[in-house]
Amino acid sequence: MKQVYNFNAGPAMFPLEVLQQVQAELRDLQGTGLSVLEISHRSKEYEQINEETQQLLKELLGISSEYDVLFMQGGASTQFAMVPMNFLTEGRVANYIESGTWSHKAVEEAKKIGRTEILASSEADQFRKVPDLQGLKIHPEAAYVHLTSNETIAGTQYRDFISTGEIPLIVDMSSDILSREINVSNFSLIYAGAQKNLGPSGVTVVIVKRELLHRIPNSIPNMMNYQVHAQKNSLYNTPPVFAVYMVNLMLKWIQKNGGVKGMEQRNQLKANLIYRTIDNSEGFYNGLAHVESRSMMNVTFSVVNDELEKEFLRQAEENGFVGLKGHRDAGHLRVSMYNAVPYEQCKALTDFMDDFQKRFG
């Protein structure tokens, strides 16, 4: 096969051994004679996958019995609407921290549901850093506080989170869940599209504190109601069976490779390598995110001028580097290095970057 270095921002890279297991089981899942694409979601085989995947996630993140783990469809973008639909009740205010494109989209959806206020925003800085969380004045009637832990487009990430006291803290962790250790008990609800660190597109993980579910009005349509999905153990309707199966395999791979702590150590090494190459280039490469807000998952940078940047992309593609073009909203270059991206792949990229600078710098 052609050598490819996959830095796509999502859907993202899978470990080879996971893909090989999928390939081996695709026609016959665990001796059933059926493909995982064919089994009933009411079968004992899928019920076992569903339960085991929930348990694996609970073990890896240290999730207590106070929380339910749900597998839902529609991606994180559906969660932008579901969160206010379920929790932005009459007389309450939704408080948002706006740190980039994805948190902005969440704000816009919430505005359609009810009263919404932005607590802090880094839009004036072109979202190249995360807003300062110190001294925030949370509305006394806040239904919840919402933030996005990692902005894939801008390449920014929160290193620490705020305490919101009795007010629920809800976080979109689509692009950095399981990449570093967190204390789940600090959050009332976490949601994450799977297609970066967890699995393929098609399933979204929701971790929700059970006491929060009791606040949901009966008027919410069943398909958009977290409590309905929790009561039915994510089996209210036909779930994304294949996607949940692949999340199961990914969680086992993470567990086998040192758990979340092991992922964090690997991810920090990869990020340090890329950022060091940028910072040591004497301005040939320029990091786009402020240093104190740099993401460990998505490195955004530019080349010294537009023509060389185009040439960099052209030569990178010729050499098998995939997914380096920045998002259309931000332009320039982006390196996405989620859990499955090995250090060796990042080293190959930095070797290419060093060589390109020698030839054109």
Side-chain angles (χ1 to χ4, degrees):
M1 290 177 62
K2 177 184 176 182
Q3 175 66 65
V4 172
Y5 305 98
N6 187 351
F7 293 103
N8 276 317
M13 183 177 183
F14 278 94
L16 178 59
E17 64 190 85
V18 169
L19 294 178
Q20 288 173 333
Q21 184 171 351
V22 174
Q23 184 181 44
E25 293 183 340
L26 191 59
R27 294 182 61 187
D28 183 5
L29 177 67
Q30 300 167 6
T32 61
L34 296 170
S35 169
V36 68
L37 298 169
E38 300 172 318
I39 63 171
S40 167
H41 66 290
R42 303 296 182 193
S43 66
K44 68 180 189 304
E45 288 81 13
Y46 181 70
E47 286 188 5
Q48 191 269 333
I49 290 171
N50 188 57
E51 294 283 350
E52 184 182 57
T53 308
Q54 291 174 345
Q55 189 57 38
L56 283 165
L57 197 61
K58 289 176 181 179
E59 291 173 5
L60 285 166
L61 285 174
I63 301 171
S64 76
S65 59
E66 298 176 88
Y67 292 80
D68 285 318
V69 174
L70 312 178
F71 302 125
M72 306 187 71
Q73 301 181 55
S77 295
T78 296
Q79 300 304 308
F80 297 163
M82 279 190 69
V83 166
M85 284 179 71
N86 281 261
F87 305 120
L88 182 48
T89 50
E90 189 173 351
R92 294 284 186 171
V93 180
N95 279 183
Y96 280 75
I97 298 164
E98 187 182 47
S99 55
T101 299
W102 299 114
S103 50
H104 175 75
K105 288 179 182 291
V107 169
E108 292 303 300
E109 289 294 88
K111 285 179 179 178
K112 298 172 184 176
I113 307 299
R115 186 178 167 193
T116 304
E117 293 181 357
I118 296 175
L119 282 182
S121 175
S122 53
E123 185 176 14
D125 296 294
Q126 298 178 298
F127 295 126
R128 292 191 175 188
K129 66 177 184 178
V130 295
D132 186 0
L133 299 182
Q134 300 303 313
L136 291 180
K137 294 183 179 179
I138 300 172
H139 196 285
E141 296 299 319
Y144 57 83
V145 175
H146 178 285
L147 62 80
T148 303
S149 58
N150 184 82
E151 290 279 0
T152 59
I153 293 174
T156 61
Q157 184 179 34
Y158 283 100
R159 295 180 182 174
D160 300 295
F161 298 98
I162 54 171
S163 172
T164 54
E166 296 298 312
I167 297 170
L169 179 58
I170 294 175
V171 60
D172 174 3
M173 285 191 181
S174 292
S175 50
D176 63 352
I177 193 169
L178 290 167
S179 70
R180 56 176 174 166
E181 293 185 300
I182 59 166
N183 186 350
V184 172
S185 66
N186 291 334
F187 308 96
S188 292
L189 188 148
I190 295 169
Y191 63 89
Q195 65 270 18
K196 302 175 191 297
N197 279 316
L198 278 170
S201 60
V203 63
T204 299
V205 167
V206 175
I207 303 164
V208 58
K209 203 166 191 177
R210 203 166 292 116
E211 68 176 28
L212 196 63
L213 299 175
H214 302 310
R215 305 186 186 190
I216 300 171
N218 293 329
S219 57
I220 305 300
N222 284 352
M223 272 301 292
M224 304 297 285
N225 189 319
Y226 289 118
Q227 190 163 28
V228 169
H229 288 282
Q231 289 172 343
K232 298 297 183 180
N233 200 27
S234 297
L235 295 170
Y236 172 70
N237 68 314
T238 305
V241 171
F242 183 70
V244 175
Y245 160 76
M246 290 204 69
V247 170
N248 180 284
L249 299 186
M250 275 297 296
L251 295 178
K252 288 176 179 175
W253 177 84
I254 290 171
Q255 191 177 58
K256 179 181 172 183
N257 286 274
V260 178
K261 186 175 183 179
M263 294 299 108
E264 182 170 7
Q265 292 171 345
R266 287 157 49 111
N267 291 330
Q268 194 62 66
L269 286 173
K270 294 182 293 185
N272 289 345
L273 178 64
I274 303 289
Y275 283 122
R276 188 164 59 244
T277 301
I278 293 168
D279 293 341
N280 291 343
S281 71
E282 299 181 339
F284 187 81
Y285 301 113
N286 293 284
L288 300 181
H290 288 213
V291 173
E292 68 276 8
S293 296
R294 283 175 164 177
S295 169
M296 193 164 60
M297 297 282 94
N298 312 96
V299 177
T300 54
F301 68 102
S302 63
V303 183
V304 67
N305 64 57
D306 290 344
E307 289 305 311
L308 276 180
E309 191 165 285
K310 291 175 184 175
E311 183 62 19
F312 178 94
L313 271 174
R314 188 188 69 80
Q315 291 195 21
E317 289 173 6
E318 284 183 353
N319 283 274
F321 296 99
V322 174
L324 294 180
K325 188 174 182 179
H327 189 275
R328 60 184 178 275
D329 289 350
H332 299 297
L333 303 163
R334 173 173 58 176
V335 181
S336 297
M337 42 193 179
Y338 305 116
N339 285 345
V341 174
Y343 179 88
E344 293 74 20
Q345 184 166 301
C346 296
K347 181 64 169 64
L349 176 61
T350 56
D351 288 345
F352 171 78
M353 291 170 69
D354 287 338
D355 178 68
F356 188 86
Q357 183 182 352
K358 287 176 184 175
R359 289 185 288 116
F360 294 97

PDB file of all heavy atoms in Angstrom, residues 319-346:
ATOM      1  N   ASN A 319       4.170  13.699  -1.000  1.00  0.00           N
ATOM      2  CA  ASN A 319       4.923  12.830  -0.098  1.00  0.00           C
ATOM      3  C   ASN A 319       4.019  12.049   0.857  1.00  0.00           C
ATOM      4  O   ASN A 319       4.512  11.431   1.809  1.00  0.00           O
ATOM      5  CB  ASN A 319       5.942  13.652   0.694  1.00  0.00           C
ATOM      6  CG  ASN A 319       7.162  14.021  -0.140  1.00  0.00           C
ATOM      7  OD1 ASN A 319       8.118  13.251  -0.232  1.00  0.00           O
ATOM      8  ND2 ASN A 319       7.124  15.184  -0.764  1.00  0.00           N
ATOM      9  N   GLY A 320       2.703  12.082   0.604  1.00  0.00           N
ATOM     10  CA  GLY A 320       1.788  11.236   1.361  1.00  0.00           C
ATOM     11  C   GLY A 320       1.202  11.848   2.613  1.00  0.00           C
ATOM     12  O   GLY A 320       0.542  11.150   3.391  1.00  0.00           O
ATOM     13  N   PHE A 321       1.402  13.157   2.826  1.00  0.00           N
ATOM     14  CA  PHE A 321       0.838  13.813   3.998  1.00  0.00           C
ATOM     15  C   PHE A 321      -0.567  14.305   3.660  1.00  0.00           C
ATOM     16  O   PHE A 321      -0.749  15.159   2.798  1.00  0.00           O
ATOM     17  CB  PHE A 321       1.731  14.966   4.455  1.00  0.00           C
ATOM     18  CG  PHE A 321       3.084  14.527   4.924  1.00  0.00           C
ATOM     19  CD1 PHE A 321       4.185  14.610   4.079  1.00  0.00           C
ATOM     20  CD2 PHE A 321       3.254  13.997   6.190  1.00  0.00           C
ATOM     21  CE1 PHE A 321       5.441  14.183   4.496  1.00  0.00           C
ATOM     22  CE2 PHE A 321       4.507  13.565   6.624  1.00  0.00           C
ATOM     23  CZ  PHE A 321       5.595  13.654   5.777  1.00  0.00           C
ATOM     24  N   VAL A 322      -1.546  13.768   4.353  1.00  0.00           N
ATOM     25  CA  VAL A 322      -2.958  14.005   4.042  1.00  0.00           C
ATOM     26  C   VAL A 322      -3.593  14.857   5.139  1.00  0.00           C
ATOM     27  O   VAL A 322      -3.329  14.670   6.328  1.00  0.00           O
ATOM     28  CB  VAL A 322      -3.716  12.656   3.941  1.00  0.00           C
ATOM     29  CG1 VAL A 322      -5.209  12.878   3.767  1.00  0.00           C
ATOM     30  CG2 VAL A 322      -3.151  11.820   2.800  1.00  0.00           C
ATOM     31  N   GLY A 323      -4.460  15.808   4.734  1.00  0.00           N
ATOM     32  CA  GLY A 323      -5.271  16.554   5.690  1.00  0.00           C
ATOM     33  C   GLY A 323      -4.615  17.778   6.280  1.00  0.00           C
ATOM     34  O   GLY A 323      -5.067  18.272   7.317  1.00  0.00           O
ATOM     35  N   LEU A 324      -3.573  18.322   5.640  1.00  0.00           N
ATOM     36  CA  LEU A 324      -2.853  19.459   6.212  1.00  0.00           C
ATOM     37  C   LEU A 324      -3.443  20.819   5.843  1.00  0.00           C
ATOM     38  O   LEU A 324      -3.071  21.829   6.440  1.00  0.00           O
ATOM     39  CB  LEU A 324      -1.379  19.430   5.785  1.00  0.00           C
ATOM     40  CG  LEU A 324      -0.545  18.259   6.316  1.00  0.00           C
ATOM     41  CD1 LEU A 324       0.890  18.365   5.811  1.00  0.00           C
ATOM     42  CD2 LEU A 324      -0.568  18.216   7.845  1.00  0.00           C
ATOM     43  N   LYS A 325      -4.353  20.859   4.904  1.00  0.00           N
ATOM     44  CA  LYS A 325      -4.954  22.138   4.535  1.00  0.00           C
ATOM     45  C   LYS A 325      -5.886  22.596   5.642  1.00  0.00           C
ATOM     46  O   LYS A 325      -6.726  21.838   6.130  1.00  0.00           O
ATOM     47  CB  LYS A 325      -5.726  22.005   3.221  1.00  0.00           C
ATOM     48  CG  LYS A 325      -6.211  23.336   2.665  1.00  0.00           C
ATOM     49  CD  LYS A 325      -6.840  23.164   1.279  1.00  0.00           C
ATOM     50  CE  LYS A 325      -7.271  24.513   0.715  1.00  0.00           C
ATOM     51  NZ  LYS A 325      -7.869  24.363  -0.638  1.00  0.00           N
ATOM     52  N   GLY A 326      -5.757  23.858   6.040  1.00  0.00           N
ATOM     53  CA  GLY A 326      -6.581  24.385   7.122  1.00  0.00           C
ATOM     54  C   GLY A 326      -8.050  24.442   6.748  1.00  0.00           C
ATOM     55  O   GLY A 326      -8.419  24.401   5.573  1.00  0.00           O
ATOM     56  N   HIS A 327      -8.891  24.560   7.758  1.00  0.00           N
ATOM     57  CA  HIS A 327     -10.332  24.672   7.534  1.00  0.00           C
ATOM     58  C   HIS A 327     -10.622  25.923   6.711  1.00  0.00           C
ATOM     59  O   HIS A 327      -9.934  26.939   6.827  1.00  0.00           O
ATOM     60  CB  HIS A 327     -11.049  24.749   8.885  1.00  0.00           C
ATOM     61  CG  HIS A 327     -12.536  24.643   8.789  1.00  0.00           C
ATOM     62  ND1 HIS A 327     -13.327  25.738   8.528  1.00  0.00           N
ATOM     63  CD2 HIS A 327     -13.373  23.581   8.937  1.00  0.00           C
ATOM     64  CE1 HIS A 327     -14.602  25.358   8.512  1.00  0.00           C
ATOM     65  NE2 HIS A 327     -14.655  24.053   8.759  1.00  0.00           N
ATOM     66  N   ARG A 328     -11.672  25.864   5.894  1.00  0.00           N
ATOM     67  CA  ARG A 328     -11.987  26.986   5.002  1.00  0.00           C
ATOM     68  C   ARG A 328     -12.230  28.284   5.757  1.00  0.00           C
ATOM     69  O   ARG A 328     -12.032  29.369   5.218  1.00  0.00           O
ATOM     70  CB  ARG A 328     -13.206  26.643   4.143  1.00  0.00           C
ATOM     71  CG  ARG A 328     -14.472  26.351   4.934  1.00  0.00           C
ATOM     72  CD  ARG A 328     -15.628  25.917   4.037  1.00  0.00           C
ATOM     73  NE  ARG A 328     -16.830  25.599   4.803  1.00  0.00           N
ATOM     74  CZ  ARG A 328     -17.070  24.433   5.347  1.00  0.00           C
ATOM     75  NH1 ARG A 328     -16.176  23.461   5.218  1.00  0.00           N
ATOM     76  NH2 ARG A 328     -18.191  24.226   6.033  1.00  0.00           N
ATOM     77  N   ASP A 329     -12.651  28.203   7.029  1.00  0.00           N
ATOM     78  CA  ASP A 329     -12.895  29.415   7.810  1.00  0.00           C
ATOM     79  C   ASP A 329     -11.615  30.062   8.307  1.00  0.00           C
ATOM     80  O   ASP A 329     -11.623  31.245   8.682  1.00  0.00           O
ATOM     81  CB  ASP A 329     -13.785  29.106   9.029  1.00  0.00           C
ATOM     82  CG  ASP A 329     -15.220  28.812   8.632  1.00  0.00           C
ATOM     83  OD1 ASP A 329     -15.569  29.028   7.457  1.00  0.00           O
ATOM     84  OD2 ASP A 329     -15.996  28.354   9.493  1.00  0.00           O
ATOM     85  N   ALA A 330     -10.525  29.298   8.344  1.00  0.00           N
ATOM     86  CA  ALA A 330      -9.273  29.815   8.902  1.00  0.00           C
ATOM     87  C   ALA A 330      -8.125  29.844   7.900  1.00  0.00           C
ATOM     88  O   ALA A 330      -7.184  30.623   8.038  1.00  0.00           O
ATOM     89  CB  ALA A 330      -8.868  28.977  10.124  1.00  0.00           C
ATOM     90  N   GLY A 331      -8.188  28.971   6.880  1.00  0.00           N
ATOM     91  CA  GLY A 331      -7.113  28.918   5.898  1.00  0.00           C
ATOM     92  C   GLY A 331      -5.823  28.359   6.476  1.00  0.00           C
ATOM     93  O   GLY A 331      -5.796  27.718   7.533  1.00  0.00           O
ATOM     94  N   HIS A 332      -4.729  28.587   5.773  1.00  0.00           N
ATOM     95  CA  HIS A 332      -3.384  28.177   6.168  1.00  0.00           C
ATOM     96  C   HIS A 332      -3.296  26.655   6.376  1.00  0.00           C
ATOM     97  O   HIS A 332      -3.862  25.902   5.589  1.00  0.00           O
ATOM     98  CB  HIS A 332      -2.927  28.966   7.396  1.00  0.00           C
ATOM     99  CG  HIS A 332      -2.858  30.446   7.147  1.00  0.00           C
ATOM    100  ND1 HIS A 332      -1.997  31.007   6.223  1.00  0.00           N
ATOM    101  CD2 HIS A 332      -3.585  31.475   7.684  1.00  0.00           C
ATOM    102  CE1 HIS A 332      -2.166  32.326   6.202  1.00  0.00           C
ATOM    103  NE2 HIS A 332      -3.135  32.633   7.067  1.00  0.00           N
ATOM    104  N   LEU A 333      -2.624  26.207   7.434  1.00  0.00           N
ATOM    105  CA  LEU A 333      -2.317  24.789   7.614  1.00  0.00           C
ATOM    106  C   LEU A 333      -2.769  24.307   8.978  1.00  0.00           C
ATOM    107  O   LEU A 333      -2.812  25.075   9.947  1.00  0.00           O
ATOM    108  CB  LEU A 333      -0.809  24.560   7.458  1.00  0.00           C
ATOM    109  CG  LEU A 333      -0.210  25.026   6.119  1.00  0.00           C
ATOM    110  CD1 LEU A 333       1.299  25.137   6.229  1.00  0.00           C
ATOM    111  CD2 LEU A 333      -0.590  24.072   5.011  1.00  0.00           C
ATOM    112  N   ARG A 334      -3.086  23.010   9.041  1.00  0.00           N
ATOM    113  CA  ARG A 334      -3.513  22.425  10.313  1.00  0.00           C
ATOM    114  C   ARG A 334      -3.048  20.981  10.385  1.00  0.00           C
ATOM    115  O   ARG A 334      -3.231  20.212   9.437  1.00  0.00           O
ATOM    116  CB  ARG A 334      -5.034  22.499  10.443  1.00  0.00           C
ATOM    117  CG  ARG A 334      -5.588  21.762  11.646  1.00  0.00           C
ATOM    118  CD  ARG A 334      -7.071  21.995  11.835  1.00  0.00           C
ATOM    119  NE  ARG A 334      -7.857  21.598  10.662  1.00  0.00           N
ATOM    120  CZ  ARG A 334      -9.180  21.636  10.601  1.00  0.00           C
ATOM    121  NH1 ARG A 334      -9.866  22.084  11.639  1.00  0.00           N
ATOM    122  NH2 ARG A 334      -9.815  21.252   9.521  1.00  0.00           N
ATOM    123  N   VAL A 335      -2.477  20.631  11.531  1.00  0.00           N
ATOM    124  CA  VAL A 335      -2.061  19.256  11.803  1.00  0.00           C
ATOM    125  C   VAL A 335      -2.946  18.723  12.920  1.00  0.00           C
ATOM    126  O   VAL A 335      -2.898  19.209  14.044  1.00  0.00           O
ATOM    127  CB  VAL A 335      -0.585  19.184  12.249  1.00  0.00           C
ATOM    128  CG1 VAL A 335      -0.176  17.732  12.493  1.00  0.00           C
ATOM    129  CG2 VAL A 335       0.328  19.834  11.217  1.00  0.00           C
ATOM    130  N   SER A 336      -3.785  17.735  12.611  1.00  0.00           N
ATOM    131  CA  SER A 336      -4.638  17.124  13.626  1.00  0.00           C
ATOM    132  C   SER A 336      -4.035  15.788  14.026  1.00  0.00           C
ATOM    133  O   SER A 336      -3.788  14.934  13.178  1.00  0.00           O
ATOM    134  CB  SER A 336      -6.055  16.939  13.086  1.00  0.00           C
ATOM    135  OG  SER A 336      -6.632  18.197  12.784  1.00  0.00           O
ATOM    136  N   MET A 337      -3.790  15.641  15.310  1.00  0.00           N
ATOM    137  CA  MET A 337      -3.060  14.453  15.785  1.00  0.00           C
ATOM    138  C   MET A 337      -3.766  13.879  17.006  1.00  0.00           C
ATOM    139  O   MET A 337      -3.316  14.009  18.128  1.00  0.00           O
ATOM    140  CB  MET A 337      -1.606  14.802  16.096  1.00  0.00           C
ATOM    141  CG  MET A 337      -1.430  16.126  16.809  1.00  0.00           C
ATOM    142  SD  MET A 337       0.268  16.674  16.813  1.00  0.00           S
ATOM    143  CE  MET A 337       0.041  18.219  17.698  1.00  0.00           C
ATOM    144  N   TYR A 338      -4.887  13.244  16.717  1.00  0.00           N
ATOM    145  CA  TYR A 338      -5.688  12.629  17.766  1.00  0.00           C
ATOM    146  C   TYR A 338      -5.004  11.361  18.287  1.00  0.00           C
ATOM    147  O   TYR A 338      -3.905  11.012  17.865  1.00  0.00           O
ATOM    148  CB  TYR A 338      -7.089  12.346  17.237  1.00  0.00           C
ATOM    149  CG  TYR A 338      -7.767  13.573  16.665  1.00  0.00           C
ATOM    150  CD1 TYR A 338      -8.098  13.650  15.308  1.00  0.00           C
ATOM    151  CD2 TYR A 338      -8.044  14.671  17.471  1.00  0.00           C
ATOM    152  CE1 TYR A 338      -8.705  14.782  14.780  1.00  0.00           C
ATOM    153  CE2 TYR A 338      -8.651  15.808  16.954  1.00  0.00           C
ATOM    154  CZ  TYR A 338      -8.984  15.859  15.606  1.00  0.00           C
ATOM    155  OH  TYR A 338      -9.570  16.983  15.080  1.00  0.00           O
ATOM    156  N   ASN A 339      -5.675  10.683  19.194  1.00  0.00           N
ATOM    157  CA  ASN A 339      -5.060   9.556  19.895  1.00  0.00           C
ATOM    158  C   ASN A 339      -4.410   8.522  18.976  1.00  0.00           C
ATOM    159  O   ASN A 339      -3.342   7.996  19.272  1.00  0.00           O
ATOM    160  CB  ASN A 339      -6.109   8.840  20.749  1.00  0.00           C
ATOM    161  CG  ASN A 339      -6.458   9.624  22.012  1.00  0.00           C
ATOM    162  OD1 ASN A 339      -5.739  10.545  22.405  1.00  0.00           O
ATOM    163  ND2 ASN A 339      -7.557   9.261  22.643  1.00  0.00           N
ATOM    164  N   ALA A 340      -5.061   8.218  17.857  1.00  0.00           N
ATOM    165  CA  ALA A 340      -4.573   7.133  16.998  1.00  0.00           C
ATOM    166  C   ALA A 340      -3.362   7.523  16.151  1.00  0.00           C
ATOM    167  O   ALA A 340      -2.715   6.650  15.570  1.00  0.00           O
ATOM    168  CB  ALA A 340      -5.701   6.647  16.084  1.00  0.00           C
ATOM    169  N   VAL A 341      -3.054   8.807  16.062  1.00  0.00           N
ATOM    170  CA  VAL A 341      -1.907   9.251  15.252  1.00  0.00           C
ATOM    171  C   VAL A 341      -0.621   8.930  16.008  1.00  0.00           C
ATOM    172  O   VAL A 341      -0.401   9.424  17.115  1.00  0.00           O
ATOM    173  CB  VAL A 341      -1.989  10.758  14.966  1.00  0.00           C
ATOM    174  CG1 VAL A 341      -0.727  11.238  14.244  1.00  0.00           C
ATOM    175  CG2 VAL A 341      -3.233  11.085  14.144  1.00  0.00           C
ATOM    176  N   PRO A 342       0.250   8.109  15.442  1.00  0.00           N
ATOM    177  CA  PRO A 342       1.473   7.727  16.160  1.00  0.00           C
ATOM    178  C   PRO A 342       2.530   8.834  16.125  1.00  0.00           C
ATOM    179  O   PRO A 342       2.549   9.684  15.232  1.00  0.00           O
ATOM    180  CB  PRO A 342       1.951   6.492  15.394  1.00  0.00           C
ATOM    181  CG  PRO A 342       1.422   6.669  14.014  1.00  0.00           C
ATOM    182  CD  PRO A 342       0.117   7.399  14.152  1.00  0.00           C
ATOM    183  N   TYR A 343       3.426   8.795  17.107  1.00  0.00           N
ATOM    184  CA  TYR A 343       4.527   9.763  17.185  1.00  0.00           C
ATOM    185  C   TYR A 343       5.364   9.720  15.907  1.00  0.00           C
ATOM    186  O   TYR A 343       5.802  10.753  15.395  1.00  0.00           O
ATOM    187  CB  TYR A 343       5.403   9.441  18.402  1.00  0.00           C
ATOM    188  CG  TYR A 343       6.590  10.357  18.567  1.00  0.00           C
ATOM    189  CD1 TYR A 343       6.478  11.549  19.277  1.00  0.00           C
ATOM    190  CD2 TYR A 343       7.832  10.028  18.014  1.00  0.00           C
ATOM    191  CE1 TYR A 343       7.566  12.393  19.422  1.00  0.00           C
ATOM    192  CE2 TYR A 343       8.932  10.864  18.163  1.00  0.00           C
ATOM    193  CZ  TYR A 343       8.786  12.052  18.865  1.00  0.00           C
ATOM    194  OH  TYR A 343       9.879  12.894  18.995  1.00  0.00           O
ATOM    195  N   GLU A 344       5.569   8.511  15.369  1.00  0.00           N
ATOM    196  CA  GLU A 344       6.410   8.364  14.175  1.00  0.00           C
ATOM    197  C   GLU A 344       5.847   9.139  12.994  1.00  0.00           C
ATOM    198  O   GLU A 344       6.602   9.653  12.162  1.00  0.00           O
ATOM    199  CB  GLU A 344       6.541   6.880  13.817  1.00  0.00           C
ATOM    200  CG  GLU A 344       7.327   6.045  14.824  1.00  0.00           C
ATOM    201  CD  GLU A 344       6.565   5.767  16.114  1.00  0.00           C
ATOM    202  OE1 GLU A 344       5.308   5.882  16.114  1.00  0.00           O
ATOM    203  OE2 GLU A 344       7.220   5.450  17.133  1.00  0.00           O
ATOM    204  N   GLN A 345       4.549   9.226  12.911  1.00  0.00           N
ATOM    205  CA  GLN A 345       3.931   9.981  11.827  1.00  0.00           C
ATOM    206  C   GLN A 345       4.215  11.472  11.992  1.00  0.00           C
ATOM    207  O   GLN A 345       4.483  12.180  11.012  1.00  0.00           O
ATOM    208  CB  GLN A 345       2.415   9.710  11.822  1.00  0.00           C
ATOM    209  CG  GLN A 345       1.675  10.372  10.685  1.00  0.00           C
ATOM    210  CD  GLN A 345       0.268   9.809  10.517  1.00  0.00           C
ATOM    211  OE1 GLN A 345       0.101   8.611  10.292  1.00  0.00           O
ATOM    212  NE2 GLN A 345      -0.733  10.666  10.616  1.00  0.00           N
ATOM    213  N   CYS A 346       4.165  11.949  13.220  1.00  0.00           N
ATOM    214  CA  CYS A 346       4.479  13.357  13.493  1.00  0.00           C
ATOM    215  C   CYS A 346       5.959  13.642  13.225  1.00  0.00           C
ATOM    216  O   CYS A 346       6.311  14.719  12.726  1.00  0.00           O
ATOM    217  CB  CYS A 346       4.129  13.706  14.937  1.00  0.00           C
ATOM    218  SG  CYS A 346       2.364  13.575  15.300  1.00  0.00           S
TER     219      CYS A 346
END
